């Protein structure tokens, strides 16, 4: 037996030939199945009846072929065949072999379900005619991510046929594509669509794992999201519908990014469902103490042990499959810090798997986005991933929420805000204090909300979470939300409170879409969707979480603001620099930045940090490589009292064209021109964008 459980030393070790072609490979006259297990004493292939999943029609033993791989070649493996494996091994600390347990083969391209944790793999051919449709390959600086739930996006859309509601085909319906295109987003990021299962605890409560962060298999699309007709036809049809969705979105110029959960699986803690990896080689696939106790850095019961070559290769092969066979454009890695933990369980950005994900030619051009934390020791790693990675920037989220919400709440009670504008400005300009020069501002995926937490509307409407419907007595979900209800908890008829809430949402969206970095908009925030104060709605597959497409006039106005902001971002390259600027040299594709106070004077260090100063004029000028020169001025005012602002006099600037203001209930098409030195009245807690010419 090779030392397969030693820490991987390089990405090359993950690509060694004995780990090639795991799973089923079809060829003339049948197929070959290859399974990796370092501790197994025997592996058996089971073939099942086409209609009765309990009827084993054939058995074939697998033989060891070196490198801890077991193999069999047989005419029984053909497209559509239901199969599984059984594995036996020594009864010793850390392993849980049971020769009677029917297991999902880890590289399965299709699955069928015979009960709660009773699954069968299915041989899938996977052929598909892409018709010459290629990936859109949208540059990162032009990317605007739209994060949403596959089912929830189209489930209630009135122009999507009922048979397609909540399905892969429904997401690619012309009505949905029209919404994405008119909104202006470029890349649809889907919550998990790998096959997943609901935890027994949720099922006992009458709930379900709606979000899908409980992966059953890394290669199979979640069958429940396919249309009823394709579910009946089987896994081949489900995969074909998924690929058809990708093809149609690509044809419209839209990218598809998958939120992938490789850090843990649905097998949960010891004693949970034993469906696949636990029964194949528990010691190798899951992080454990010497006594076999799981090291759980995910909070989900188990952690996949990426210091084992085979486990890391399983993840890499899954990425290759989705990126090439299914033509996926990018991946957001859930709890990515877990993937970068070595054999001592410490995080390192040089982990062979993390490096392989960046360096592997088979993943060239794919977007890689890390959720840069987990719940283990040393788990918070924002800014610490290497070149080629973008990261969810929680520091950005927290600072932006503080500035527009909790600081304003504090100021109402204490007559002054707790901090000034400097930290906010740093986030606006690309978070250079978090990401290195080599990585630049595009390493930051900026977000104010995400699937996890309050929606935008709830963020400005609730001071505390309201999660009683989750069955945990309101104990689950974040307690620190940096939210502000503006004077009433939840729904209200108070016109004044509703007005300031709407403006607060415009400020948050304006900040998101005018900041340097890659913006991520949460689906439904463009219409101010509410989850009634639930900040952890992972277990609700209902109208609480499905997008509503029935909107009041003020919601349509907010939608117009988002459209305008996205359009302005596309039109003004100064808002989307690729690199950080430097005062002492010209940096191509950077935006040189200057900072002025409300008097039009260069911002002093004291005013930068003083809580008494919450007004800023931010000037960004592009350093073009491929686009025309562009310069913008953004006024940010963070107190509730209006202020008179003198526009700065800058060499080469003769006029300021008003482009957008968060003070407007509806974006105006009126063109207003100001001169340097003119005075502009800025409403309390608002933003105003100009183009400088």
């Amino acid at each position: 037996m090779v030392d397969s459980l030693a820490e991987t030393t390089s990405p090359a070790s993950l690509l060694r030939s004995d780990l090639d072609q795991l799973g089923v490979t079809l060829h003339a006259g049948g197929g070959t199945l290859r399974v990796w297990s370092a501790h197994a004493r025997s592996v058996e292939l089971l073939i099942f009846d086409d209609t009765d999943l309990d009827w084993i029609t054939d058995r074939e033993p697998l033989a060891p072929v070196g490198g801890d791989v077991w193999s069999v070649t047989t005419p029984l493996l053909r497209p559509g065949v239901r199969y599984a494996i059984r594995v036996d091994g020594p009864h010793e600390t850390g392993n849980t072999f049971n020769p009677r347990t029917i297991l999902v083969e880890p590289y399965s391209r299709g699955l069928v379900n015979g009960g709660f944790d009773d699954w069968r793999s299915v041989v899938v051919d996977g052929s598909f005619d892409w018709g010459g449709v290629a990936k859109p390959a949208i540059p990162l600086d032009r990317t605007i991510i739209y994060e949403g739930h596959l089912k929830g996006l189209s489930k209630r859309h009135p122009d999507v046929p009922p048979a397609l509601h909540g399905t892969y085909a429904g997401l690619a319906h012309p009505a949905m594509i029209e919404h994405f295109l008119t909104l202006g987003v470029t890349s649809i990021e889907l919550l998990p669509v790998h096959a997943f299962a609901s935890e027994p605890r949720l099922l006992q409560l009458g709930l379900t794992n709606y979000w899908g962060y409980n992966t059953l298999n890394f290669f199979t699309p979640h069958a429940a999201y396919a249309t009823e007709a394709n579910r009946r036809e089987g896994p081949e049809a489900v995969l074909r519908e998924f690929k058809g969705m990708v093809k149609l979105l690509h044809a419209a110029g839209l990218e598809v990014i998958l939120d992938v959960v490789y850090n843990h699986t649905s097998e949960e803690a010891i004693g949970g469902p034993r469906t696949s990896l636990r029964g194949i080689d528990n010691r190798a696939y899951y992080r454990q103490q010497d006594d076999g106790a799981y090291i759980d850095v995910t909070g989900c019961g188990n952690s996949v042990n990426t210091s084992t070559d085979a486990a890391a290769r399983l993840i890499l092969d899954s990425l290759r499959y989705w990126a090439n066979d299914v033509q996926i454009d990018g991946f957001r890695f859930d709890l990515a810090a877990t993937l970068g933990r070595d054999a001592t369980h410490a995080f390192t950005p040089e982990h062979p798997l993390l490096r392989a994900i960046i360096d592997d030619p088979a993943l060239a051009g794919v977007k890689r986005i890390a959720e840069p934390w987990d719940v283990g020791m040393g788990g918070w790693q924002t800014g610490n991933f290497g070149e080629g990675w973008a990261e969810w920037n929680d520091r950005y989220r927290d600072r932006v929420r503080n500035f527009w919400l909790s600081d304003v709440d504090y100021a109402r009670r204490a007559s002054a805000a707790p901090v000034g504008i400097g930290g906010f400005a740093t986030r606006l300009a690309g978070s250079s204090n978090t990401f290195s020069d080599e990585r630049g501002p595009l390493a930051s995926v900026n977000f104010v909300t995400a699937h996890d937490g309050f929606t935008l509307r709830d963020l400005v409407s609730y001071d505390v979470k309201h999660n009683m419907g989750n069955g945990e007595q309101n104990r689950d979900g974040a307690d620190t939300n940096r939210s502000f209800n503006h004077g009433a908890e939840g729904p209200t008829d108070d016109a004044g409170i509703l007005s300031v809430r709407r403006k607060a949402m415009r400020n948050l969206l304006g900040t998101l879409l005018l900041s340097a970095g890659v913006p991520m908009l949460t689906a439904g925030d463009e219409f101010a969707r509410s989850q009634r104060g639930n900040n952890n709605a992972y277990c609700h597959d209902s109208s609480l979480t499905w997008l509503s497409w029935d909107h009041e006039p003020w919601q349509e106005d907010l939608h117009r603001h988002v459209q305008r902001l996205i359009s302005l971002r596309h039109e003004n390259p100064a808002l989307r620099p690729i690199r950080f600027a430097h005062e002492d040299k010209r940096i191509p594709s950077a935006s040189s930045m200057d900072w002025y106070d409300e008097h039009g004077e260069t911002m002093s260090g004291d005013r930068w940090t003083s809580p008494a100063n919450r007004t800023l004029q931010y000037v960004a000028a592009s350093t073009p490589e491929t686009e025309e020169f562009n310069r913008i001025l953004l006024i940010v005012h963070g107190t509730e009292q209006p202020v008179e602002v003198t526009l700065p006099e800058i060499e080469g600037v003769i006029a300021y064209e008003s482009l957008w203001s968060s003070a407007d209930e509806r974006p105006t098409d009126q063109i207003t021109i100001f001169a340097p030195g003119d005075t502009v009245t800025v409403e309390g807690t608002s933003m105003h964008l100009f183009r400088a010419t």
Side-chain angles (χ1 to χ4, degrees):
M1 182 177 75
V2 302
D3 189 14
S4 301
L5 303 189
E7 181 181 6
T8 54
T9 57
S10 72
S13 70
L14 305 184
L15 302 177
R16 65 179 199 264
S17 60
D18 54 38
L19 293 177
D20 289 347
Q21 293 186 312
L22 294 175
V24 172
T25 302
L26 293 172
H27 47 73
T32 297
L33 170 64
R34 286 165 52 87
V35 176
W36 181 91
S37 177
H39 297 100
R41 286 193 298 231
S42 66
V43 181
E44 183 182 34
L45 167 67
L46 308 177
I47 303 296
F48 293 86
D49 181 74
D50 289 343
T51 57
D52 186 347
L53 295 182
D54 291 324
W55 182 7
I56 299 172
T57 59
D58 289 282
R59 296 178 175 86
E60 291 273 2
L62 278 69
V65 293
D68 296 322
V69 173
W70 300 71
S71 180
V72 64
T73 298
T74 172
L76 297 172
L77 291 171
R78 61 186 187 278
V81 164
R82 275 71 168 152
Y83 72 102
I85 58 175
R86 288 198 291 214
V87 183
D88 194 11
H91 296 276
E92 59 188 19
T93 301
N95 275 317
T96 59
F97 291 109
N98 185 330
R100 295 183 298 277
T101 303
I102 293 173
L103 302 169
V104 169
E105 187 267 298
Y107 281 74
S108 304
R109 275 28 173 200
L111 293 173
V112 290
N113 180 229
F116 159 62
D117 60 353
D118 188 24
W119 298 88
R120 305 289 181 268
S121 300
V122 179
V123 179
V124 169
D125 175 77
S127 58
F128 185 79
D129 181 7
W130 290 97
V133 175
K135 295 183 180 183
I138 296 166
L140 199 55
D141 65 303
R142 291 182 172 272
T143 298
I144 298 177
I145 298 170
Y146 187 80
E147 188 211 34
H149 189 282
L150 188 287
K151 180 176 182 178
L153 283 165
S154 68
K155 177 65 177 176
R156 304 175 73 188
H157 199 297
D159 296 327
V160 173
L164 304 186
H165 279 167
T167 66
Y168 300 123
L171 185 72
H173 186 272
M176 294 301 303
I177 289 176
E178 180 184 11
H179 175 67
F180 301 144
L181 295 179
T182 56
L183 187 60
V185 296
T186 66
S187 309
I188 314 304
E189 181 178 306
L190 298 174
L191 269 64
V193 293
H194 288 174
F196 63 87
S198 290
E199 297 87 336
R201 176 186 61 83
L202 288 178
L203 296 175
Q204 290 169 3
L205 292 171
L207 300 170
T208 184
N209 190 320
Y210 173 65
W211 286 351
Y213 291 89
N214 201 43
T215 310
L216 178 72
N217 174 266
F218 296 149
F219 289 82
T220 303
H222 193 58
Y225 293 156
T227 57
E228 183 179 355
N230 282 331
R231 292 199 306 272
R232 284 200 305 267
E233 190 174 338
E236 192 83 60
V238 170
L239 178 59
R240 188 166 57 246
E241 181 178 330
F242 191 105
K243 291 181 176 180
M245 171 194 74
V246 175
K247 179 180 178 179
L248 288 171
L249 291 170
H250 282 177
L254 294 163
E255 292 184 321
V256 181
I257 297 174
L258 299 187
D259 192 336
V260 286
V261 187
Y262 295 121
N263 57 81
H264 75 282
T265 76
S266 61
E267 291 186 305
E268 301 185 41
I270 292 290
R274 177 171 29 204
T275 52
S276 187
L277 302 181
R278 178 173 292 143
I280 294 171
D281 198 320
N282 184 62
R283 193 59 160 167
Y285 277 113
Y286 293 118
R287 294 188 180 274
Q288 300 175 33
Q289 305 283 4
D290 291 341
D291 64 359
Y294 276 1
I295 297 172
D296 178 13
V297 298
T298 67
C300 300
N302 64 65
S303 305
V304 173
N305 186 8
T306 55
S307 68
T308 302
D309 279 353
R313 179 63 180 268
L314 174 67
I315 294 168
L316 192 64
D317 284 345
S318 171
L319 293 169
R320 289 169 153 191
Y321 171 72
W322 291 98
N324 296 293
D325 290 59
V326 194
Q327 291 288 287
I328 294 302
D329 303 277
F331 302 93
R332 179 268 189 188
F333 294 83
D334 181 64
L335 301 183
T338 299
L339 306 184
R341 290 183 180 270
D342 60 22
T344 70
H345 315 298
F347 173 82
T348 170
E350 293 302 309
H351 191 288
L353 175 58
L354 298 185
R355 286 175 51 198
I357 290 170
I358 297 300
D359 297 337
D360 189 351
L363 298 177
V366 169
K367 291 179 169 69
R368 298 96 161 179
I369 302 167
E371 182 184 38
W373 53 77
D374 62 20
V375 301
M377 290 292 292
W380 187 69
Q381 294 292 334
T382 304
N384 293 335
F385 281 67
E387 289 188 59
W389 286 93
E391 300 176 38
W392 272 27
N393 189 348
D394 57 319
R395 294 182 180 183
Y396 176 95
R397 174 201 63 200
D398 293 349
R399 178 63 71 176
V400 171
R401 288 186 180 191
N402 281 348
F403 186 81
W404 290 118
L405 299 175
S406 55
D407 287 0
V408 176
D409 180 22
Y410 185 96
R412 282 193 184 184
R413 293 181 282 107
S415 301
V419 297
I421 202 167
F424 173 86
T426 300
R427 298 301 166 193
L428 186 71
S431 297
S432 61
N433 59 345
T434 301
F435 301 101
S436 66
D437 271 0
E438 292 76 17
R439 299 180 67 192
L442 297 181
S444 177
V445 174
N446 299 329
F447 67 108
V448 175
T449 67
H451 66 275
D452 187 4
F454 280 144
T455 66
L456 181 72
R457 183 174 179 179
D458 290 353
L459 196 62
V460 304
S461 304
Y462 294 90
D463 279 352
V464 296
K465 65 187 181 183
H466 296 263
N467 296 356
M468 290 304 295
N470 295 2
E472 298 183 46
Q473 291 74 51
N474 209 37
R475 292 189 300 264
D476 64 306
D479 293 313
T480 302
N481 296 286
R482 294 175 168 85
S483 60
F484 179 30
N485 67 20
H486 293 86
E489 186 71 359
T492 180
D493 294 327
D494 187 303
I497 291 175
L498 293 174
S499 177
V500 294
R501 285 180 179 177
R502 292 194 296 270
K503 185 171 60 173
M505 286 188 280
R506 296 192 294 269
N507 286 329
L508 292 164
L509 289 166
T511 303
L512 174 66
L513 293 167
L514 301 178
S515 292
V518 181
M520 185 185 79
L521 178 69
T522 305
D525 278 355
E526 71 272 31
F527 294 119
R529 180 177 72 93
S530 175
Q531 289 178 169
R532 301 195 293 275
N534 191 319
N535 75 350
N536 190 34
Y538 76 102
C539 54
H540 295 279
D541 185 358
S542 68
S543 59
L544 180 73
T545 50
W546 305 333
L547 265 64
S548 171
W549 297 90
D550 182 15
H551 305 129
E552 298 179 20
W554 70 267
Q555 293 175 291
E556 296 293 346
D557 289 341
L558 185 66
H559 178 236
R560 293 185 185 96
H561 274 283
V562 178
Q563 288 177 303
R564 173 68 60 83
L565 287 162
I566 290 176
S567 177
L568 290 171
R569 185 178 184 87
H570 285 312
E571 294 167 6
N572 292 276
L575 293 168
R576 39 183 175 81
I578 295 173
R579 302 179 181 92
F580 289 126
H582 286 266
E583 291 183 6
D584 56 345
K585 57 183 176 180
R586 183 182 187 276
I587 305 294
S589 292
S591 289
S592 60
M593 298 170 185
D594 296 292
W595 311 91
Y596 301 90
D597 61 20
E598 67 268 32
H599 307 298
E601 304 293 333
T602 299
M603 181 75 75
S604 67
D606 289 343
R607 290 180 64 79
W608 187 263
T609 58
S610 171
N613 179 56
R614 302 264 296 178
T615 306
L616 174 74
Q617 298 192 76
Y618 162 54
V619 176
S622 68
T623 309
E625 287 184 282
T626 60
E627 299 179 82
E628 295 296 320
F629 173 76
N630 172 244
R631 178 157 39 196
I632 61 92
L633 164 67
L634 178 63
I635 299 175
V636 178
H637 178 52
T639 66
E640 293 196 284
Q641 297 73 39
V643 66
E644 297 294 316
V645 175
T646 301
L647 302 179
E649 298 186 28
I650 301 172
E651 183 178 354
V653 174
I654 61 173
Y656 294 102
E657 177 188 354
S658 176
L659 300 177
W660 174 81
S661 171
S662 68
D664 297 332
E665 284 282 357
R666 175 181 294 188
T668 178
D669 294 324
Q670 180 179 350
I671 298 175
T672 306
I673 306 295
F674 298 88
D678 282 355
T679 298
V680 177
T681 301
V682 179
E683 187 176 309
T685 53
S686 68
M687 310 174 72
H688 199 148
L689 179 68
F690 302 83
R691 182 183 292 119
T693 57

